[in-house]
Amino acid sequence: MSPKSLLSLLFIASASILGAAELPIAKVITQAGAEHDDLKRTWQGIPGIERASNGRLWSTWYTGDVGEGAMGNYAMVATAGDVGQKWGKPIAIQGPKGTRIGDPLPWIDPKGRLWVFYAQFTEKTETTPHLRATFAIRADDPTSATPKWSEPFVVMTDGILFGKPLIRKEDGAWLAPFFVNGKMPGWAGVHETGVLASTDEGASWKWLGGTDVPEELLNFSEATIAQRKDGSIFMVIRTSVGLCESISADGGKTWTDVKPMPGFEKGPSTRACMLKLASGAFMLVYHDAPPNKTGSFGRAKMTVWLSDDECRTWPHKLLLDERTRVSYPDAMQAPDGRIFITYDLGRYMAGEKQILVSVLREEDIRAGKVVSKDAKLKMVTNQCHGYGNHFDIREEEKIAKEMPAKDKFHLYLLIGQSNMAGRGVLDPEQAVSRQRLLKFSQRNAWAPGIDPLHTDKPAAAGVGLGTSFAREMADADKGITVGVIPCAVGGTPLERWQKGKDLYEAALVRAKLAMKDGTLKGILWHQGEGDSAKEETAKSYNARLSQMVADLRADLGVGEIPFVAGKLGEFLAPTTKEGAPSFWPVVNEQIAMLPKTAPNTAVVDSTGLKHKGDVVHFDTPSLREFGKRYAEAMKKLQQAK
């Protein structure tokens, strides 16, 4: 029987199990649309990793609406030719309206075929049943960058297959971790976490056996399994307080009572990944996070351990990622011994939202440090940049309920190009305090005043001078809250900031909306690189900027409000990319004239500030310093007034 026929039989059998004539089946979208773009997606996480026989890598994760659990979520699948090669544009697995897709997991079976298992949840309608099931798609040639995918088919209803299958050594059967979503109808008397088995190479699956996590420890019972030398199967299970373990001595049919896993009984409530390596050692990827002030554990310090006594002790460990907000590892080992480990970073956090992969060898774990020449850690598989996930929305809603009085809410308009927008490298450990700092989000709502402030070019957005400026202004007056109105756009000339042009008018609209909640106290400007290529635009810069200042003040109705401009970086190249002269020194001379041509204005010097390596953009320390210089100039103008 052909593979396609087997899949069809499986689908028919699954449909009869569900008792529905038509099932809401997802589509494999190989040409993902604009809504799936990295710049549009607002969150992502829960990754998986696999590798084809020719070295081609496959990565999965899910994303979609405003966050996990939301209808409309979908899975993504991306591929790269090998380590270090560019990842292609992901394809999407997306269900019809009223469904959500989650928890995708790639696995290459003994025949070299790539499976992508995923969970699908569907709301009940007049024509479709309420559905909770694990589905899969399959590609029989994962060595190709564009393989042919099967139609989605049901693996098992009422639960989630969410751990790499293993091949039972006694008979070659496939066993996969599976947990039931609560006590579902038809599962009476069945344990809530255990294994599925397939004895026909995935054509059909059945529940084999399982165990129960004590109610006081019950969370999402995501499990990971490996087989020991004596044939017993060891299972590691997520609980609400750390990891627990269970063992099956009869090939997965019956399991011991769940008990805390020594050394891991206290830790974050999150998924772990276990893998038996080619050497016979067992590998576990989890967190080595210390308890926080409340005694609970955060998802920090992604770490990999090794056991030489089949999971009884774990003496060897290597820290993969020291950061917080890292979670959900998956792993596989290549025939050449390299170990591929994927996980996510900051699913909802601006500047993070990354799917990462690390490549290492067993010797690195044993050494407790990277010693192999081909090891590479923290490589980015994919990153999304959209704004508006449920974390963003909750923050906005919380702030809306606690807004300061209008006269105590001091606003500053940020305009210009990329060095105002900010291209500094984000480092959460060096972030400016967000206390009494707010920003006007792209949804025109107030949000925490943290970097990145701007989203003009989401993939490039980073630290800007606005946060350190706002921090200095807020610290100078403990009775106020400072709000910044980010409107800068990278790569733009002064012409687009003149009255009647697009960026001027857009900034005007945003400023007026923000001013309904607070009092505008000043305007910050940094621009000029975009006018340095031509001598005529450089020499006319002051006249045009002075007019823009006058127009903007008049249109905002704020009188001679303080206006601070910054000089261009003194590190800029003397020629353009085309080899023509750059007139940035002329632009700087023109900027320096502003206090003489426009009242109540000041110019901030850029002497001593450094670029981040591209000879265009200020680095993060320089932006922090620049922001402080802007603040000093602003305070002097305000005091003089």
PDB file of all heavy atoms in Angstrom, residues 531-541 544 581-583 586-587 590:
ATOM      1  N   ASP A 531      20.794  64.229   4.476  1.00  0.00           N
ATOM      2  CA  ASP A 531      20.962  65.453   3.688  1.00  0.00           C
ATOM      3  C   ASP A 531      22.432  65.763   3.421  1.00  0.00           C
ATOM      4  O   ASP A 531      22.772  66.860   2.981  1.00  0.00           O
ATOM      5  CB  ASP A 531      20.315  66.629   4.424  1.00  0.00           C
ATOM      6  CG  ASP A 531      18.804  66.542   4.424  1.00  0.00           C
ATOM      7  OD1 ASP A 531      18.246  65.800   5.253  1.00  0.00           O
ATOM      8  OD2 ASP A 531      18.172  67.186   3.577  1.00  0.00           O
ATOM      9  N   SER A 532      23.286  64.771   3.680  1.00  0.00           N
ATOM     10  CA  SER A 532      24.727  64.997   3.574  1.00  0.00           C
ATOM     11  C   SER A 532      25.318  64.618   2.222  1.00  0.00           C
ATOM     12  O   SER A 532      26.476  64.930   1.943  1.00  0.00           O
ATOM     13  CB  SER A 532      25.469  64.206   4.669  1.00  0.00           C
ATOM     14  OG  SER A 532      25.077  64.641   5.948  1.00  0.00           O
ATOM     15  N   ALA A 533      24.527  63.956   1.390  1.00  0.00           N
ATOM     16  CA  ALA A 533      25.077  63.480   0.122  1.00  0.00           C
ATOM     17  C   ALA A 533      25.207  64.582  -0.921  1.00  0.00           C
ATOM     18  O   ALA A 533      26.038  64.481  -1.829  1.00  0.00           O
ATOM     19  CB  ALA A 533      24.210  62.348  -0.428  1.00  0.00           C
ATOM     20  N   LYS A 534      24.390  65.646  -0.787  1.00  0.00           N
ATOM     21  CA  LYS A 534      24.418  66.730  -1.774  1.00  0.00           C
ATOM     22  C   LYS A 534      24.789  68.047  -1.101  1.00  0.00           C
ATOM     23  O   LYS A 534      24.292  68.378  -0.023  1.00  0.00           O
ATOM     24  CB  LYS A 534      23.053  66.861  -2.450  1.00  0.00           C
ATOM     25  CG  LYS A 534      22.650  65.640  -3.272  1.00  0.00           C
ATOM     26  CD  LYS A 534      21.293  65.848  -3.916  1.00  0.00           C
ATOM     27  CE  LYS A 534      20.872  64.641  -4.741  1.00  0.00           C
ATOM     28  NZ  LYS A 534      19.542  64.843  -5.367  1.00  0.00           N
ATOM     29  N   GLU A 535      25.641  68.796  -1.776  1.00  0.00           N
ATOM     30  CA  GLU A 535      26.100  70.057  -1.202  1.00  0.00           C
ATOM     31  C   GLU A 535      24.949  71.043  -1.030  1.00  0.00           C
ATOM     32  O   GLU A 535      24.889  71.765  -0.029  1.00  0.00           O
ATOM     33  CB  GLU A 535      27.190  70.660  -2.088  1.00  0.00           C
ATOM     34  CG  GLU A 535      27.855  71.889  -1.487  1.00  0.00           C
ATOM     35  CD  GLU A 535      29.035  72.371  -2.306  1.00  0.00           C
ATOM     36  OE1 GLU A 535      29.202  71.869  -3.453  1.00  0.00           O
ATOM     37  OE2 GLU A 535      29.794  73.235  -1.823  1.00  0.00           O
ATOM     38  N   GLU A 536      24.000  71.064  -1.981  1.00  0.00           N
ATOM     39  CA  GLU A 536      22.903  72.034  -1.890  1.00  0.00           C
ATOM     40  C   GLU A 536      21.987  71.763  -0.707  1.00  0.00           C
ATOM     41  O   GLU A 536      21.530  72.695  -0.038  1.00  0.00           O
ATOM     42  CB  GLU A 536      22.099  72.067  -3.194  1.00  0.00           C
ATOM     43  CG  GLU A 536      21.539  70.742  -3.668  1.00  0.00           C
ATOM     44  CD  GLU A 536      22.458  70.005  -4.626  1.00  0.00           C
ATOM     45  OE1 GLU A 536      23.694  70.119  -4.460  1.00  0.00           O
ATOM     46  OE2 GLU A 536      21.944  69.320  -5.525  1.00  0.00           O
ATOM     47  N   THR A 537      21.707  70.463  -0.414  1.00  0.00           N
ATOM     48  CA  THR A 537      20.852  70.165   0.740  1.00  0.00           C
ATOM     49  C   THR A 537      21.594  70.422   2.044  1.00  0.00           C
ATOM     50  O   THR A 537      20.987  70.813   3.044  1.00  0.00           O
ATOM     51  CB  THR A 537      20.355  68.712   0.697  1.00  0.00           C
ATOM     52  OG1 THR A 537      21.472  67.827   0.614  1.00  0.00           O
ATOM     53  CG2 THR A 537      19.430  68.487  -0.485  1.00  0.00           C
ATOM     54  N   ALA A 538      22.910  70.217   2.039  1.00  0.00           N
ATOM     55  CA  ALA A 538      23.694  70.485   3.240  1.00  0.00           C
ATOM     56  C   ALA A 538      23.735  71.985   3.545  1.00  0.00           C
ATOM     57  O   ALA A 538      23.527  72.410   4.689  1.00  0.00           O
ATOM     58  CB  ALA A 538      25.111  69.943   3.072  1.00  0.00           C
ATOM     59  N   LYS A 539      23.962  72.794   2.514  1.00  0.00           N
ATOM     60  CA  LYS A 539      24.095  74.236   2.726  1.00  0.00           C
ATOM     61  C   LYS A 539      22.765  74.920   3.050  1.00  0.00           C
ATOM     62  O   LYS A 539      22.746  75.989   3.673  1.00  0.00           O
ATOM     63  CB  LYS A 539      24.726  74.880   1.500  1.00  0.00           C
ATOM     64  CG  LYS A 539      26.215  74.574   1.356  1.00  0.00           C
ATOM     65  CD  LYS A 539      26.825  75.347   0.197  1.00  0.00           C
ATOM     66  CE  LYS A 539      28.338  75.152   0.134  1.00  0.00           C
ATOM     67  NZ  LYS A 539      28.958  75.916  -0.985  1.00  0.00           N
ATOM     68  N   SER A 540      21.651  74.308   2.661  1.00  0.00           N
ATOM     69  CA  SER A 540      20.341  74.903   2.947  1.00  0.00           C
ATOM     70  C   SER A 540      19.697  74.313   4.200  1.00  0.00           C
ATOM     71  O   SER A 540      18.547  74.622   4.523  1.00  0.00           O
ATOM     72  CB  SER A 540      19.400  74.683   1.755  1.00  0.00           C
ATOM     73  OG  SER A 540      19.132  73.296   1.564  1.00  0.00           O
ATOM     74  N   TYR A 541      20.450  73.498   4.903  1.00  0.00           N
ATOM     75  CA  TYR A 541      19.876  72.739   6.009  1.00  0.00           C
ATOM     76  C   TYR A 541      19.330  73.649   7.105  1.00  0.00           C
ATOM     77  O   TYR A 541      18.210  73.455   7.593  1.00  0.00           O
ATOM     78  CB  TYR A 541      20.924  71.772   6.585  1.00  0.00           C
ATOM     79  CG  TYR A 541      20.350  70.776   7.561  1.00  0.00           C
ATOM     80  CD1 TYR A 541      19.837  69.570   7.115  1.00  0.00           C
ATOM     81  CD2 TYR A 541      20.313  71.040   8.922  1.00  0.00           C
ATOM     82  CE1 TYR A 541      19.305  68.650   8.005  1.00  0.00           C
ATOM     83  CE2 TYR A 541      19.784  70.135   9.817  1.00  0.00           C
ATOM     84  CZ  TYR A 541      19.274  68.936   9.348  1.00  0.00           C
ATOM     85  OH  TYR A 541      18.731  68.030  10.238  1.00  0.00           O
ATOM     86  N   ARG A 544      16.001  75.444   6.269  1.00  0.00           N
ATOM     87  CA  ARG A 544      14.864  74.524   6.200  1.00  0.00           C
ATOM     88  C   ARG A 544      14.496  73.995   7.589  1.00  0.00           C
ATOM     89  O   ARG A 544      13.316  73.852   7.924  1.00  0.00           O
ATOM     90  CB  ARG A 544      15.178  73.368   5.250  1.00  0.00           C
ATOM     91  CG  ARG A 544      15.273  73.822   3.791  1.00  0.00           C
ATOM     92  CD  ARG A 544      15.528  72.667   2.833  1.00  0.00           C
ATOM     93  NE  ARG A 544      16.848  72.060   3.022  1.00  0.00           N
ATOM     94  CZ  ARG A 544      17.059  70.761   3.183  1.00  0.00           C
ATOM     95  NH1 ARG A 544      16.029  69.916   3.178  1.00  0.00           N
ATOM     96  NH2 ARG A 544      18.285  70.289   3.326  1.00  0.00           N
ATOM     97  N   PRO A 581      31.913  62.875  -2.352  1.00  0.00           N
ATOM     98  CA  PRO A 581      32.141  63.553  -1.071  1.00  0.00           C
ATOM     99  C   PRO A 581      30.872  63.579  -0.223  1.00  0.00           C
ATOM    100  O   PRO A 581      29.758  63.732  -0.739  1.00  0.00           O
ATOM    101  CB  PRO A 581      32.556  64.969  -1.484  1.00  0.00           C
ATOM    102  CG  PRO A 581      33.011  64.839  -2.892  1.00  0.00           C
ATOM    103  CD  PRO A 581      32.185  63.750  -3.509  1.00  0.00           C
ATOM    104  N   SER A 582      31.042  63.417   1.084  1.00  0.00           N
ATOM    105  CA  SER A 582      29.927  63.552   2.021  1.00  0.00           C
ATOM    106  C   SER A 582      30.032  64.922   2.684  1.00  0.00           C
ATOM    107  O   SER A 582      31.115  65.322   3.144  1.00  0.00           O
ATOM    108  CB  SER A 582      29.971  62.454   3.081  1.00  0.00           C
ATOM    109  OG  SER A 582      28.971  62.670   4.047  1.00  0.00           O
ATOM    110  N   PHE A 583      28.914  65.621   2.758  1.00  0.00           N
ATOM    111  CA  PHE A 583      28.915  66.986   3.283  1.00  0.00           C
ATOM    112  C   PHE A 583      28.372  67.059   4.711  1.00  0.00           C
ATOM    113  O   PHE A 583      27.829  68.072   5.127  1.00  0.00           O
ATOM    114  CB  PHE A 583      28.095  67.886   2.347  1.00  0.00           C
ATOM    115  CG  PHE A 583      28.680  67.992   0.964  1.00  0.00           C
ATOM    116  CD1 PHE A 583      28.231  67.161  -0.050  1.00  0.00           C
ATOM    117  CD2 PHE A 583      29.699  68.897   0.688  1.00  0.00           C
ATOM    118  CE1 PHE A 583      28.773  67.244  -1.325  1.00  0.00           C
ATOM    119  CE2 PHE A 583      30.251  68.985  -0.582  1.00  0.00           C
ATOM    120  CZ  PHE A 583      29.790  68.156  -1.599  1.00  0.00           C
ATOM    121  N   VAL A 586      29.347  70.021   6.806  1.00  0.00           N
ATOM    122  CA  VAL A 586      28.573  71.218   6.481  1.00  0.00           C
ATOM    123  C   VAL A 586      27.231  71.185   7.214  1.00  0.00           C
ATOM    124  O   VAL A 586      26.768  72.200   7.758  1.00  0.00           O
ATOM    125  CB  VAL A 586      28.354  71.335   4.962  1.00  0.00           C
ATOM    126  CG1 VAL A 586      27.473  72.537   4.637  1.00  0.00           C
ATOM    127  CG2 VAL A 586      29.682  71.419   4.233  1.00  0.00           C
ATOM    128  N   VAL A 587      26.611  69.998   7.241  1.00  0.00           N
ATOM    129  CA  VAL A 587      25.337  69.860   7.961  1.00  0.00           C
ATOM    130  C   VAL A 587      25.545  70.172   9.441  1.00  0.00           C
ATOM    131  O   VAL A 587      24.726  70.868  10.064  1.00  0.00           O
ATOM    132  CB  VAL A 587      24.752  68.442   7.774  1.00  0.00           C
ATOM    133  CG1 VAL A 587      23.516  68.255   8.655  1.00  0.00           C
ATOM    134  CG2 VAL A 587      24.395  68.191   6.320  1.00  0.00           C
ATOM    135  N   GLN A 590      25.631  73.787   9.928  1.00  0.00           N
ATOM    136  CA  GLN A 590      24.285  74.332   9.791  1.00  0.00           C
ATOM    137  C   GLN A 590      23.454  74.085  11.067  1.00  0.00           C
ATOM    138  O   GLN A 590      22.707  74.962  11.513  1.00  0.00           O
ATOM    139  CB  GLN A 590      23.592  73.691   8.591  1.00  0.00           C
ATOM    140  CG  GLN A 590      24.207  74.068   7.248  1.00  0.00           C
ATOM    141  CD  GLN A 590      23.724  75.411   6.746  1.00  0.00           C
ATOM    142  OE1 GLN A 590      22.524  75.653   6.641  1.00  0.00           O
ATOM    143  NE2 GLN A 590      24.655  76.322   6.456  1.00  0.00           N
TER     144      GLN A 590
END
